[in-house]
Amino acid sequence: RAGLVDIMIDQADKSDQDTASRYVLWTEARELAVGVRNVFAVMSLCEQLASTFSGPTNVEQQRQHLARISGVAVVPALLKLFDQPDDAAACTIAGRWFAIDVQAWDRALPLLVKSNDAALNKAATQELASNSRSIEQLSIADQWYDLGKRASSTTKESFWRHALEWYSKGTTGLSGAAIATATKRISEIEEFLPLGPDADY
């Protein structure tokens, strides 16, 4: 059933000229996603349905369908944020989930800047600020590297993947000690990360 959710979403994307089919595929995929407790798929499908069809808003749909999912720690936090969007504890739980489980950093960072975790708050705040200079980009990378260094394996992988993106940006045009440290850390991260689905065996 979990795999069928992805298949139905893909079929809906290919049915862009048939709105009735898209609606059926999205709503059925959302029902399956609730059953397999795929929280992010439920959220994404609610967003798609609300933006494409008239009817309940995205928030109304998410309130209804996320509330049907039990046994997933992030759900109460996500529901709480509808009413209390600045709740620090809920922002921390939801922000970490978006970053670590979903790796949706565009959603994670605005929550982590309101986190009650000082280290996450600092790293996210700096990342969302101006960071056009290489030295600023390396500083962001260093923070996520340090957070990953102290974390469990799953969290470490997510934080280090994100750090790697910033190291790749920040090493352009630099030389000396800064680039040497960054290059060493890039090698360490790449050695740690599992091979991706596009690896050329």
Side-chain angles (χ1 to χ4, degrees), residues 59 63 76-95 107-116:
V59 170
R63 280 185 188 273
L78 292 170
L79 291 172
K80 187 170 189 176
L81 288 172
F82 289 132
D83 298 314
Q84 300 177 49
D86 295 325
D87 183 274
C91 284
T92 302
I93 294 169
R107 297 184 185 231
L109 293 171
L111 293 169
L112 293 177
V113 296
K114 297 182 281 187
S115 168
N116 55 12

Side-chain angles (χ1 to χ4, degrees), residues 10-119:
D10 183 61
Q11 289 177 342
D13 292 341
K14 294 175 181 176
S15 303
D16 57 346
Q17 302 302 316
D18 185 350
T19 54
S21 294
R22 290 186 95 187
Y23 181 81
V24 170
L25 286 165
W26 277 342
T27 53
E28 290 300 315
R30 184 179 61 190
E31 194 66 20
L32 278 172
V34 169
V36 297
R37 302 190 296 181
N38 186 334
V39 175
F40 189 65
V42 171
M43 296 178 70
S44 300
L45 287 161
C46 287
E47 291 168 2
Q48 291 274 45
L49 285 159
S51 65
T52 307
F53 300 99
S54 59
T57 66
N58 173 44
V59 170
E60 290 170 339
Q61 292 187 47
Q62 287 196 28
R63 280 185 188 273
Q64 176 186 350
H65 296 289
L66 289 176
R68 298 168 55 207
I69 300 175
S70 61
V72 181
V74 73
V75 169
L78 292 170
L79 291 172
K80 187 170 189 176
L81 288 172
F82 289 132
D83 298 314
Q84 300 177 49
D86 295 325
D87 183 274
C91 284
T92 302
I93 294 169
R96 286 179 60 87
W97 177 75
F98 277 120
I100 297 165
D101 294 78
V102 185
Q103 295 192 30
W105 286 89
D106 58 326
R107 297 184 185 231
L109 293 171
L111 293 169
L112 293 177
V113 296
K114 297 182 281 187
S115 168
N116 55 12
D117 183 311

Side-chain angles (χ1 to χ4, degrees), residues 130-157:
S130 174
N131 47 53
S132 58
R133 297 188 303 157
S134 293
I135 197 68
E136 294 169 338
Q137 294 167 348
L138 286 183
S139 177
I140 293 168
D142 286 341
Q143 290 194 67
W144 293 115
Y145 171 87
D146 290 339
L147 284 165
K149 191 82 171 175
R150 305 191 298 266
S152 63
S153 180
T154 302
T155 303
K156 182 176 184 176
E157 180 180 340

